[in-house]
């Protein structure tokens, strides 16, 4: 079973943050990105974890927001990745913190 959630984070710097996140995670994860869109694969066993399956993050930069969609292998996996994304994005967007994260979970 897959679990998914999306969020539209209001910011005028969506492209900058998308690129920072992707460059940061490209050191040890599978990442593809342009200034407008990106994707990151989080392996099920990353950092010693043992999730049922891999997870993916897709990113889309808009003029006034960064749109993010996570698809994970369990509800716990999804929750953990939401937290990781928020922590990393807040670190890169320290001048704008606190950012809003109005997550919208999708029905399974």
């Amino acid at each position: 079973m897959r679990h998914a959630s999306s969020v539209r984070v209001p910011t005028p710097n969506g492209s900058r943050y998308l690129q920072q996140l992707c460059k940061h995670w490209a050191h040890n994860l599978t990442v593809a990105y342009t200034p407008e869109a990106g994707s990151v694969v989080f392996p099920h066993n990353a950092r010693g974890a043992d999730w049922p399956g891999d997870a993916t993050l897709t990113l889309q930069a808009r003029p006034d927001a960064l749109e993010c969609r996570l698809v994970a292998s369990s509800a716990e996996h999804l929750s953990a990745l939401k937290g990781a994304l928020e922590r990393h994005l807040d670190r890169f967007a320290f001048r704008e913190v606190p950012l809003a994260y109005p997550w919208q979970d999708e029905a399974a």
Side-chain angles (χ1 to χ4, degrees):
M1 174 181 270
R2 304 300 282 172
H3 298 264
S5 190
S6 299
V7 65
R8 188 173 200 279
V9 181
T11 177
N13 299 301
S15 178
R16 177 187 308 159
Y17 301 147
L18 178 153
Q19 292 175 74
Q20 286 179 296
L21 287 166
C22 288
K23 285 177 186 176
H24 174 75
W25 280 323
H27 293 289
N28 56 7
L29 300 173
T30 302
V31 175
Y33 68 98
T34 67
E36 297 81 28
S39 65
V40 181
V41 176
F42 296 93
H44 69 280
N45 59 354
R47 296 191 179 262
D50 190 23
W51 301 110
D54 295 347
T56 58
L57 167 65
T58 54
L59 303 160
Q60 186 72 45
R62 303 289 184 205
D64 61 345
L66 178 61
E67 296 175 354
C68 310
R69 182 171 188 265
L70 281 166
V71 178
S73 59
S74 69
E76 295 81 12
H77 194 188
L78 182 63
S79 179
L81 289 173
K82 284 179 183 178
L85 175 63
E86 290 175 13
R87 286 188 305 278
H88 281 80
L89 190 49
D90 280 347
R91 187 177 339 143
F92 295 130
F94 64 93
R95 290 183 182 95
E96 295 183 61
V97 173
L99 292 173
Y101 296 96
W103 289 99
Q104 299 292 314
D105 291 345
E106 300 172 19

